[in-house]
Amino acid sequence: MFGTVECVISGILEAFPRGLPQKRVLITLGVCLVSFLLTIPFVTEGGVYLFQLLDWYSSSFNTLLIGCLECVVIYWIYGSEKFGKDIQMMLGRPPPTVLRLLSSYVTPVILCAALIFSLFGYDPPSYGEYLYPESAKTMGILLAVMFSIPIPVMFMYECLRKKGSLSQRVRLASQPTPDWGPLYDQTDIGLTLLSLTATAREAEAETR
């Protein structure tokens, strides 16, 4: 749970790097307070039925879809070579070749196949012997769509911002901007970190 909250907080701070990092405590408090308020219905008498409905529709479908898209965007659109260099800059060593192959080919195929099988093998939600009404099924489907709808909406927004024909806009919207990447990649701090990391690894190798 701590990792999930920290991921949300980091995403908010990085989206607005100029003013919010100095207010990290307030952002953390706000995220925790909103999360607390949103989860109150799940501790009521009917909370287990809400939880089951949410888990039934949102967890399986959205997790597989977003995971597959992440692999495609990072390793195919952004590029596995660029991503490997980013990791090397941050950790001081490139990612293993096996990891790149699995993330580029094996993982997307498995996630896509699991997503297709989950759609074709759909069963109505249930909790024990209780069968959910049609209104609950509709609400579950709307929840699943709501969690995924920002992806095509933002893609369309980026396409509309570009100039040219439809194919040119799609191609430009699918390419990373020149300044995309780790923050310290083009700074003296980044070069210093690389130098210190390399020196530490050389010293470690000599002691061995």
Side-chain angles (χ1 to χ4, degrees):
M1 189 63 187
F2 174 79
T4 304
V5 174
E6 183 63 25
C7 182
V8 174
I9 295 172
S10 300
I12 295 175
L13 296 178
E14 292 175 3
F16 306 95
R18 295 187 177 180
L20 292 187
Q22 293 78 12
K23 302 178 181 178
R24 183 181 180 87
V25 176
L26 295 178
I27 298 299
T28 302
L29 177 62
V31 170
C32 293
L33 180 60
V34 171
S35 301
F36 170 75
L37 295 176
L38 290 177
T39 54
I40 287 179
F42 294 99
V43 297
T44 60
E45 292 185 1
V48 65
Y49 297 98
L50 292 175
F51 177 81
Q52 179 72 356
L53 183 66
L54 185 66
D55 180 71
W56 194 281
Y57 284 99
S58 63
S59 298
S60 58
F61 173 78
N62 287 287
T63 302
L64 294 173
L65 176 62
I66 295 174
C68 183
L69 291 178
E70 283 182 349
C71 292
V72 172
V73 169
I74 293 175
Y75 286 93
W76 288 94
I77 296 178
Y78 182 62
S80 60
E81 293 292 335
K82 292 181 181 178
F83 190 62
K85 292 180 180 178
D86 294 342
I87 294 178
Q88 183 176 5
M89 192 282 295
M90 293 182 284
L91 301 181
R93 62 180 183 275
T97 305
V98 176
L99 178 62
R100 293 171 58 182
L101 292 176
L102 290 175
S103 301
S104 300
Y105 302 99
V106 180
T107 303
V109 172
I110 293 177
L111 291 176
C112 184
L115 177 62
I116 294 175
F117 288 142
S118 65
L119 292 176
F120 281 98
Y122 167 78
D123 292 324
S126 61
Y127 182 73
E129 297 181 355
Y130 176 76
L131 297 178
Y132 286 80
E134 291 297 327
S135 59
K137 298 176 186 178
T138 303
M139 184 177 68
I141 295 175
L142 291 176
L143 285 173
V145 173
M146 182 181 66
F147 291 145
S148 301
I149 202 66
I151 299 175
V153 168
M154 291 306 299
F155 182 73
M156 293 177 60
Y157 171 73
E158 290 297 328
C159 288
L160 293 175
R161 291 180 56 191
K162 307 300 180 181
K163 297 181 180 180
S165 62
L166 179 60
S167 60
Q168 291 174 339
R169 292 187 179 190
V170 172
R171 186 177 68 254
L172 291 174
S174 302
Q175 294 176 353
T177 57
D179 59 345
W180 176 256
L183 178 62
Y184 299 126
D185 191 18
Q186 304 295 332
T187 64
D188 294 337
I189 297 178
L191 297 176
T192 302
L193 290 175
L194 286 176
S195 178
L196 291 175
T197 304
T199 303
R201 293 192 176 279
E202 291 177 1
E204 182 181 358
E206 290 178 358
T207 56
R208 291 180 180 179

